[in-house]
Amino acid sequence: MIRLLENSHEYNNDLRAMLMAFYPGEDISEKEDADARFTLVCDYDDTGATLHILEDGMLTGTERAIGDYKDRQNFRNAIKLAIYHLLSAKTGRVLPWGDLTGMRPTKIAMKALQEGETPDDIRRMYREVYEVSGAKTELALDVAQHEIRLLTGLAADDYCLYIGIPFCPSRCLYCSFTSYPIELYRGEVDTYLERLTEEIRMIRDLTRGRRLAACYIGGGTPSSIDETQTKRLLSGIAEIYPELAEGRIEYTVEAGRPDSITAGKLAVYRAYGVNRISINPQTMHDETLARIGRAHSVQDVKDAFAMARAEGFTNINMDLIAGLPGEDASMMKKTLAQVEDLAPESLTIHSLAVKRAARLREEFDAYGDTIHRDMEEMLDLADASARGMGMEPYYMYRQKNMGGNLENIGYAKPGTESMYNILIMEEMIDIMAAGAGAVTKPVRRTSDNLSERPQRVDRIENCKSLRDYLDRFPEMMDRKEKAFRRI
Ligand code: SF4
């Protein structure tokens, strides 16, 4: 536990984010605790703020941020740099992203490019203002340039559709999503799909006349429902959105767990226009798969991949996680070699995050230093592997509590990128979402120029729990419809 004491809470989130970057999974509290690793004191005054580290009552580090702390726009980076320097000196670690802790480290590069700044100006800014490493600066620039190119042709009125299936074969150690074990909830699936289809129909009514840019069926694990249910869902969607069944639009199904994939389900996906699937090994080591609670083997991944190719899928993504318990860089290397043999079209690399709602958070201490090992090296290996397969980085985001303050990054061969993955992060156009726990995000803008920041992005949240989604469906839909029509 780390104790945090402040005489103003103005930058509490920023201080916490930086503490998490250096100490992922650690509790942070104002309360006195004899077991606290150390106390961070942040004292704001008329000319800035002083940060102290106290250990066993002794002062072991001090940094000062200069400026008017009430001027958030100018002071925020000063205090972030001060805490970054303080923790960097304490731990002896330099973070590749410097003091950038936000969800989208590429946002700054994108904005600067759109405003006409040169790549060299942007490099200087990342280095001097945020102390980002040269390699991460190049990555941010690379991703920003790809995003700008890929988003050309998108209109302000376009929207994306997300459809959530909250069932999984088992619960992963690090999972913080809405997910129910399919074996226990089989009896609820048919009713769930009925409601879900009704909600998708309502979304179509709310968006009549607008262009659907991409559709993503995620979860959970959409492939955990059986073949008949899969067919019912996809045919229902095809009836509402015939353009999806015609294969004209990016249409992804996250067939995440290889053990839930069958040739029959893949054939149904193909028949209804799905043109991109994701088969997610996370690692190609059986002992790690068992440790993280995924009830499948490496062989299952290979079999599912071969099955998907045989069914004619030409755009397959694979997800991997860097920093899993018990893994190091040499294991990542072996995982990547096996992925290279399969030759997917795209690869998404996640840095393991220790989220509050995950079992991993409770069991974190049990993994000691076998977790988050060699993270930077793993990401470098993945970068080289993806580029070696002809892929380029095209989207990137970060989450809270990620080891080393690193990133999740998507690579793809040209032409196989997922617009949905970019748009869910960029919040440029509406995301319409159906299903338990799904969040619809209408974007409110004053002009149709997509390079301008939206005035507001709202959140219309569906009930998270499956029971509430089913029982309170009419009330929830009514609220959603009214909220959407008001916007
Ligand atoms: S497959 Fe995804 S949603 Fe399902 S338990 Fe694992 S992390 Fe959670």
Side-chain angles (χ1 to χ4, degrees):
M1 196 275 264
I2 296 169
R3 191 170 181 214
L4 173 62
L5 296 177
E6 306 153 285
N7 61 349
S8 159
H9 280 68
E10 194 72 29
Y11 300 95
N12 181 272
N13 284 342
D14 296 299
L15 298 180
R16 282 175 177 268
M18 194 53 83
L19 283 166
M20 278 295 113
F22 281 91
Y23 300 95
E26 194 88 28
D27 284 325
I28 300 169
S29 168
E30 287 181 11
K31 292 193 194 114
E32 193 163 353
D33 186 329
D35 292 331
R37 194 189 270 265
F38 61 84
T39 301
L40 175 72
V41 182
C42 185
D43 219 347
Y44 298 93
D45 56 44
D46 289 345
T47 58
T50 305
L51 293 150
H52 298 296
I53 286 185
L54 300 171
E55 284 171 277
D56 299 325
M58 304 277 291
L59 181 66
T60 57
T62 299
E63 274 288 336
R64 177 116 183 111
I66 307 284
D68 174 3
Y69 81 89
K70 293 190 182 115
D71 175 2
R72 195 171 166 79
Q73 204 179 340
N74 288 308
F75 191 73
R76 185 163 174 239
N77 197 53
I79 188 136
K80 285 182 75 178
L81 262 189
I83 182 172
Y84 171 61
H85 289 158
L86 192 63
L87 296 177
S88 187
K90 175 167 169 46
T91 58
R93 289 176 60 207
V94 173
L95 300 182
W97 285 105
D99 79 343
L100 287 182
T101 51
M103 294 252 298
R104 292 171 46 219
T106 48
K107 186 166 72 175
I108 300 161
M110 262 187 89
K111 185 165 177 280
L113 283 171
Q114 282 161 340
E115 286 171 358
E117 292 195 39
T118 66
D120 278 344
D121 291 337
I122 297 168
R123 286 187 181 98
R124 201 170 313 114
M125 174 171 58
Y126 270 76
R127 185 178 65 238
E128 291 173 9
V129 180
Y130 306 109
E131 301 194 6
V132 175
S133 75
K136 294 297 180 200
T137 298
E138 292 307 320
L139 192 60
L141 258 174
D142 229 2
V143 171
Q145 283 160 337
H146 274 104
E147 279 197 22
I148 290 171
R149 184 176 51 78
L150 290 167
L151 294 175
T152 308
L154 193 73
D157 206 27
D158 293 346
Y159 69 100
C160 290
L161 174 64
Y162 173 82
I163 297 167
I165 306 290
F167 307 103
C168 285
S170 63
R171 192 157 175 88
C172 303
L173 177 68
Y174 45 78
C175 181
S176 64
F177 301 112
T178 304
S179 152
Y180 295 89
I182 187 76
E183 285 313 325
L184 295 179
Y185 286 83
R186 271 207 196 280
E188 310 274 12
V189 176
D190 286 340
T191 319
Y192 181 77
L193 296 181
E194 259 170 49
R195 300 278 195 281
L196 188 64
T197 309
E198 211 177 307
E199 189 175 11
I200 297 166
R201 189 165 284 119
M202 185 183 95
I203 289 174
R204 179 93 220 202
D205 286 344
L206 289 172
T207 53
R208 191 86 30 219
R210 295 170 57 188
R211 190 175 71 123
L212 177 64
C215 176
Y216 192 99
I217 307 185
T221 303
S223 47
S224 60
I225 59 174
D226 70 28
E227 200 180 309
T228 311
Q229 291 160 338
T230 302
K231 191 166 180 183
R232 193 173 321 131
L233 174 66
L234 269 76
S235 62
I237 297 171
E239 203 182 292
I240 303 166
Y241 283 97
E243 62 268 47
L244 279 174
E246 288 161 18
R248 287 191 279 123
I249 293 170
E250 177 186 307
Y251 191 4
T252 301
V253 171
E254 202 171 331
R257 294 289 197 92
D259 48 334
S260 66
I261 300 172
T262 64
K265 291 179 201 175
L266 290 166
V268 173
Y269 298 156
R270 287 273 294 156
Y272 288 98
V274 173
N275 44 32
R276 184 177 179 273
I277 57 168
S278 197
I279 298 173
N280 303 329
Q282 314 302 8
T283 170
M284 290 294 238
H285 294 279
D286 282 333
E287 64 277 25
T288 314
L289 288 170
R291 193 176 295 129
I292 61 177
R294 289 174 72 91
H296 66 82
S297 66
V298 171
Q299 192 56 47
D300 290 334
V301 177
K302 295 180 180 175
D303 293 345
F305 196 93
M307 222 188 295
R309 285 288 193 232
E311 283 300 327
F313 279 95
T314 54
N315 190 352
I316 306 179
N317 173 73
M318 300 188 100
D319 278 9
L320 296 178
I321 301 178
L324 288 170
E327 297 222 335
D328 61 12
S330 68
M331 292 177 79
M332 175 58 104
K333 211 171 179 172
K334 287 181 191 149
T335 288
L336 290 165
Q338 295 185 70
V339 168
E340 284 164 22
D341 287 343
L342 295 173
E345 279 63 44
S346 59
L347 187 62
T348 309
I349 310 292
H350 292 95
S351 298
L352 181 68
V354 187
K355 300 200 193 142
R356 199 169 287 280
R359 188 156 54 87
L360 177 59
R361 179 72 184 252
E362 286 156 36
E363 297 176 14
F364 187 74
D365 291 343
Y367 295 104
D369 59 6
T370 73
I371 199 165
H372 290 149
R373 256 191 322 214
D374 301 344
M375 297 275 286
E376 281 176 58
E377 200 183 337
M378 286 185 182
L379 293 197
D380 289 347
L381 287 166
D383 185 81
S385 168
R387 289 179 196 265
M389 287 188 276
M391 300 177 190
E392 287 163 2
Y394 77 100
Y395 83 100
M396 185 202 303
Y397 68 100
R398 299 195 302 179
Q399 295 161 287
K400 284 182 185 162
N401 301 342
M402 277 172 49
N405 199 23
L406 292 161
E407 69 273 1
N408 297 328
I409 181 153
Y411 297 87
K413 292 183 182 169
T416 66
E417 303 90 347
S418 159
M419 286 275 282
Y420 177 85
N421 282 339
I422 300 177
L423 292 167
I424 189 73
M425 295 317 303
E426 291 300 335
E427 300 187 326
M428 293 169 105
I429 60 170
D430 292 353
I431 304 288
M432 305 298 294
V439 182
T440 291
K441 294 184 185 168
V443 175
R444 194 165 172 123
R445 30 178 78 258
T446 46
S447 94
D448 284 349
N449 182 352
L450 287 172
S451 65
E452 278 175 23
R453 265 176 74 93
Q455 189 187 17
R456 220 174 69 205
V457 180
D458 287 311
R459 288 175 66 89
I460 306 171
E461 296 180 15
N462 282 356
C463 297
K464 265 198 173 151
S465 106
L466 180 65
R467 199 63 276 146
D468 285 347
Y469 181 78
L470 297 180
D471 292 349
R472 297 172 53 196
F473 189 78
E475 164 206 328
M476 203 172 55
M477 291 306 105
D478 191 45
R479 184 164 45 87
K480 181 171 177 169
E481 189 168 356
K482 281 186 185 140
F484 194 79
R485 294 211 189 272
R486 248 196 333 267
I487 289 164

